[in-house]
Amino acid sequence: MSKNTEIAKIFDQIASMLSILDENPFKIRAYKKAALNILELNEEIEDRVSRDDVTDIPGVGKELANKIKEYVETGKIEEYHKIQEKVPLEMTELLGILGLGPKTLALLYKELNVRSLEDLEKVLDGDEVLNFKGLGQKKVDEIKRGIPLLKESRERTHLGKALPLAESIKKEVENIKGTEGTIVAGSIRRMRETIKDIDILTISDNTEKTVKEFTKLPFVKEVLASGSTKGSVITNEGIQVDLRVVGPESYGGALQYFSGSQAHNVKLRTIASKNGFRINEYGIFKGEEKVAGETEKEMYGTLGLPLIPPELREDRGEIEAASEGRLPDLIELSDIKGDLHMHTKWSDGKATIQEMAEKAMELGYEYIAITDHSPSSTIANGLSIERLNEKRLELREINKKIKGIHILMGSEVDIKTDGSLDYPDEVLKELDVVIASVHSGFKMDRDAITKRILMALENPYVHALGHPTGRLINGREPYDVDIDQLIEAALKHDKALEVNSSYLRLDLKDLHVRKAVDAGVKVIISTDAHRTQQLLQMRLGIGTARRGWVQKKDVLNTLEFGALNEWLKSKK
DNA sequence: GCCGTTTTCGGCCCGACTGTTTTCAGTCG
C-alpha cells in the first residue's frame, strides 16, 4: 500500500472516530475531504513533502500538512493514536452497518460500553438497549439486520458485474406501467471501476405507486425503504438498488444529482450558491423561481457551463475546464476500429482464430491482433517458436478465407524477471503486433521492477506494454512500478501503453491513463479477450479511458488500418 | 480543519425516509 493510501485511510478513520466523539461536523468533513483528495493525488505524497507543497492539495491546510509530514518522516501520526485512547479503532468499522450512525454508536459506547462488534451484538440482544430516547425495537432490529450485510459486503462490486445487472434491472423498471426515460445513474453511469450500489432514475406521474411496484420486483430480496419518491432494496446478489422517481419537469435535476459524484455535486452547488442559485435534485432555483430542471444540459447551461460528461464528474478539474471551454472531446466506443490484444485456443483462450475474427466483424472492426502467450507462461499454454510458426500458417489461411477484416499475427510476450523478452528478437521481428507484459515476479522492489519494464520498452520490436501495473481489482495490488518513468520511456521510444478492458484489470486505471495522455503518450484500448463474448468488454476500457480524459487522437486503435499498420511497421 | 472576485472570521450542499417524535433527530446518498 502506498503512503498515499495509508494516510488517506488514517484520515478517514480519524474522521470516523471524531464523529463518534460528536465533534464539529465540518472538521470531520475536512478530514474526509482531505482523505479523498489524497487518494485522487496522481503522485507519491513523499514527493510533495520533499517539495514542501503539501498544502497545494485541495482540502489540506497547515494542520493536516503537518500530520502528513509527520507520517512520512516518522511512520506514524500521534494524534491518530491519541484519539484511539478515546475510541477504539474497531468502532469505526461499525459505522459501516446500515442504519447505525455516529450518534447511536456514541450512545451505545457511552452508556452500554460497546467497544467492538461482539459487544454490539450482545447489547442488541439485551433489554437495556431499549431504555434510551430515540431507540426502539424497530431501530434495534434494523441494526441487527445490517450486521450480516456488513460482513458479506465489505468489497465494492466490479463494474463488469454491476453493469449487466443494472441493465437488467433497468429493463424491469421500464416494464412498470407509466414509467418513462428510465436510466442507470450513479457511479455506474460514471463508469467507476467498482460500485457500491445501483442507482436507477425514472419518470412517472404516480411516483409513489411506481416505487411500490419497484419494491415488489422479483429480484428484490429485502426492502430497505419505500417512500413517495424513492425506494431502496437489496437484490438476491446482495447489492443495494436505489430507485428515484420524479416528474418530467425535474428529470434533468434528478439525473444530475443522482449521477454524482458527491464531490462534483458539492463543488457545483457551492459555485451555484455564490452566483445566487440553489441546486437540488429538482432543478436550479433563483429565490423561489425554478430556472432549470428538465434536462441536464439545461442544468449545466444555466450555470454557464457546457454539459459535462458523467465520466468526468469527479471534481478532478472538470468544472474549471468546462468554465474555461477546454473540456476534452472524449473518445467514444464507435471510434474504435479494432482490438489488438486477444487470446485463442492456441494458448489459453476458448475460441478459435476464426471465431474471434467473426465476432470482431460483427462489431464492425477493421482489424484484430491475435496475441497468444509466449513460452514462459506455461500455465497459459504459451506458444513455443514451433507452435508460433504453425499458428502463423493457420492465421494466413483464415486471412485468405475471411474478407473484410485484417487479422494480425501477434503475441503477448512475457517480460522475464531479468527484463529480457520471452522470444528472441528475430522472432519478434516477424510479428505484426508485440505486446510485452509482466506475468510473474510481481513482488520485485520498485527499482528492480521499473528497470525490468523499462528494458522491455527499449526493445525496438515492442509495440505496447500490456496491463502496465498488473493489478487485479479487489484481488492483487499493482506491482510497485514507477509509473512516471514508464510514461517517460513510452514517450521516448514511441511505445503505447495499454488500457486493458478486462473488468478485473482496467489497467492502466483512470488517473494513470490521464497522466499518460497528458504527457503525450499514445494508448491502445484492448480487451485481452479469452472468448468471443469478452470482446464486448471494450466498453469498460472506453469508460476507463474517458475517465482519464482520453480523446480519439490519443488512441492508436482508432486509426484506420492503413495508418495503424504504418505505425506497427515502424517498429521493424 | 479548510478557505476567501462577497470573507483571515464565519461560513461550510441539500433533501428523502424512518422511527419515535407530536415538530424532529438520525441516517443516508
Side-chain angles (χ1 to χ4, degrees):
Chain A
M1 207 162 40
S2 76
K3 287 259 189 310
N4 301 42
T5 322
E6 289 165 12
I7 292 171
K9 193 171 171 194
I10 289 172
F11 282 0
D12 221 40
Q13 286 171 332
I14 290 178
S16 294
M17 290 187 279
L18 291 174
S19 74
I20 296 169
L21 291 170
D22 203 21
E23 277 270 357
N24 175 2
F26 297 107
K27 181 172 170 180
I28 295 164
R29 192 191 296 170
Y31 270 97
K32 282 191 179 157
K33 192 174 177 190
L36 213 61
N37 286 330
I38 290 165
L39 278 184
E40 292 276 294
L41 203 62
N42 214 353
E43 68 179 314
E44 306 293 326
I45 202 148
E46 294 99 311
D47 296 342
R48 287 288 181 132
V49 171
S50 57
R51 285 203 313 269
D52 203 24
D53 57 3
V54 189
T55 51
D56 287 355
I57 302 168
V60 175
K62 219 173 146 194
E63 287 288 322
L64 294 184
N66 282 335
K67 291 191 170 65
I68 292 170
K69 275 182 218 158
E70 185 188 349
Y71 189 77
V72 169
E73 280 159 18
T74 71
K76 54 187 231 174
I77 295 173
E78 208 186 315
E79 178 77 10
Y80 176 58
H81 298 281
K82 247 177 155 173
I83 302 182
Q84 286 182 53
E85 288 168 17
K86 297 186 198 158
V87 186
L89 198 55
E90 194 183 342
M91 296 287 282
T92 63
E93 287 175 33
L94 303 186
L95 285 174
I97 297 170
L98 214 57
L100 179 61
K103 305 286 181 190
T104 314
L105 202 50
L107 179 80
L108 299 175
Y109 173 74
K110 257 189 276 176
E111 303 294 335
L112 296 175
N113 277 319
V114 169
R115 296 286 183 277
S116 65
L117 180 60
E118 209 186 340
D119 293 346
L120 176 70
E121 285 178 316
K122 259 187 220 148
V123 160
L124 291 176
D125 281 330
D127 299 328
E128 265 187 298
V129 70
L130 296 171
N131 294 342
F132 303 98
K133 201 179 151 195
L135 248 185
Q137 190 61 49
K138 277 198 168 175
K139 192 76 204 169
V140 169
D141 290 344
E142 187 190 358
I143 298 169
K144 273 190 186 171
R145 278 203 310 275
I147 291 175
L149 245 47
L150 169 81
K151 286 177 180 164
E152 71 192 37
S153 71
R154 275 280 159 77
E155 272 179 352
R156 297 170 60 94
T157 308
H158 289 107
L159 176 64
K161 288 194 172 164
L163 186 55
L165 181 61
E167 284 167 341
S168 75
I169 292 172
K170 175 182 167 223
K171 279 204 185 107
E172 295 199 44
V173 173
E174 280 170 342
N175 287 335
I176 297 176
K177 218 175 149 209
T179 60
E180 212 185 327
T182 305
I183 186 169
V184 178
S187 48
I188 297 183
R189 184 166 182 239
R190 301 198 316 278
M191 298 293 274
R192 263 193 77 167
E193 61 193 37
T194 58
I195 64 107
K196 194 159 70 68
D197 49 28
I198 294 173
D199 298 310
I200 312 258
L201 172 70
T202 194
I203 297 174
S204 164
D205 40 16
N206 191 342
T207 60
E208 191 159 358
K209 186 159 164 268
T210 301
V211 173
K212 269 264 139 33
E213 290 190 32
F214 165 71
T215 60
K216 289 181 183 142
L217 289 172
F219 66 83
V220 174
K221 188 169 92 180
E222 197 182 333
V223 180
L224 298 175
S226 172
S228 62
T229 69
K230 66 191 262 192
S232 270
V233 302
I234 305 272
T235 69
N236 293 320
E237 294 87 352
I239 296 178
Q240 183 173 333
V241 184
D242 297 333
L243 178 76
R244 188 79 192 232
V245 192
V246 296
E249 71 287 349
S250 303
Y251 185 68
L255 184 54
Q256 197 287 317
Y257 155 74
F258 218 27
S259 294
S261 67
Q262 193 176 359
H264 174 88
N265 285 354
V266 166
K267 175 160 264 178
L268 206 63
R269 288 174 179 200
T270 308
I271 290 172
S273 80
K274 277 180 186 151
N275 294 310
F277 294 109
R278 195 179 90 251
I279 304 181
N280 60 28
E281 51 256 65
Y282 298 101
I284 302 182
F285 297 80
K286 190 139 208 169
E288 291 301 301
E289 190 198 353
K290 182 168 169 179
V291 293
E294 226 171 298
T295 67
E296 269 194 329
K297 196 170 176 213
E298 185 192 40
M299 293 285 294
Y300 284 98
T302 300
L303 301 173
L305 302 172
L307 180 67
I308 299 177
E311 294 92 336
L312 299 187
R313 300 182 197 169
E314 298 288 347
D315 189 20
R316 293 175 176 168
E318 72 281 2
I319 294 174
E320 293 81 354
S323 71
E324 290 160 19
R326 46 175 185 84
L327 277 180
D329 183 13
L330 296 181
I331 183 168
E332 302 193 19
L333 184 56
S334 58
D335 293 328
I336 294 294
K337 300 278 198 315
D339 191 339
L340 297 175
H341 183 172
M342 67 188 69
H343 301 264
T344 66
K345 282 185 172 171
W346 279 96
S347 59
D348 59 347
K350 297 287 180 263
T352 62
I353 296 175
Q354 179 158 345
E355 285 162 347
M356 294 305 265
E358 283 167 354
K359 187 71 189 177
M361 282 179 74
E362 260 178 61
L363 299 176
Y365 289 163
E366 285 182 31
Y367 50 84
I368 54 171
I370 306 292
T371 51
D372 283 299
H373 290 283
S374 62
S376 288
S377 281
T378 44
I379 44 165
N381 192 23
L383 273 61
S384 63
I385 295 176
E386 290 72 31
R387 290 181 64 226
L388 190 72
N389 288 330
E390 287 170 35
K391 177 181 148 182
R392 180 180 285 114
L393 295 178
E394 180 186 314
L395 195 143
R396 275 185 192 149
E397 285 309 305
I398 297 171
N399 252 331
K400 275 184 212 154
K401 202 163 79 181
I402 300 185
K403 297 292 161 208
I405 189 162
H406 302 274
I407 308 170
L408 298 169
M409 176 70 188
S411 175
E412 184 183 19
V413 185
D414 272 30
I415 302 171
K416 296 197 278 189
T417 47
D418 64 358
S420 68
L421 293 171
D422 205 14
Y423 290 125
D425 280 0
E426 54 271 28
V427 171
L428 296 176
K429 192 157 73 175
E430 298 301 319
L431 294 168
D432 301 321
V433 177
V434 175
I435 295 179
S437 302
V438 168
H439 288 120
S440 62
F442 304 122
K443 299 281 181 202
M444 291 166 73
D445 69 46
R446 188 175 180 82
D447 218 38
I449 194 131
T450 303
K451 282 210 180 99
R452 171 183 174 191
I453 298 174
L454 289 183
M455 243 182 93
L457 286 175
E458 282 162 17
N459 182 298
Y461 305 110
V462 166
H463 294 101
L465 178 64
H467 42 75
T469 75
R471 68 154 179 183
L472 295 178
I473 298 169
N474 287 353
R476 182 174 70 210
E477 290 289 309
Y479 27 78
D480 190 15
V481 63
D482 185 335
I483 196 83
D484 292 323
Q485 287 197 49
L486 290 195
I487 288 171
E488 204 178 300
L491 193 64
K492 182 174 165 199
H493 303 295
D494 186 29
K495 308 292 187 186
L497 297 179
E498 180 184 55
V499 175
N500 188 298
S501 305
S502 161
Y503 73 92
L504 297 168
R505 293 188 182 274
L506 296 175
D507 178 10
L508 294 171
K509 67 174 180 177
D510 51 8
L511 286 170
H512 284 159
V513 68
R514 182 171 176 185
K515 205 173 194 183
V517 297
D518 271 354
V521 170
K522 298 291 185 211
V523 299
I524 59 172
I525 306 175
S526 38
T527 61
D528 198 355
H530 284 67
R531 48 187 79 215
T532 58
Q533 210 55 26
Q534 288 176 352
L535 290 169
L536 297 172
Q537 288 206 33
M538 184 65 81
R539 63 172 173 163
L540 304 181
I542 292 289
T544 299
R546 286 170 63 88
R547 290 176 61 78
W549 296 50
V550 173
Q551 312 193 45
K552 181 180 176 184
K553 67 174 176 58
D554 301 316
V555 182
L556 290 170
N557 52 317
T558 62
L559 294 174
E560 315 260 324
F561 180 69
L564 176 84
N565 206 26
E566 206 169 294
W567 181 77
L568 292 174
K569 288 202 163 132
S570 72
K571 306 291 166 206
K572 294 194 172 219

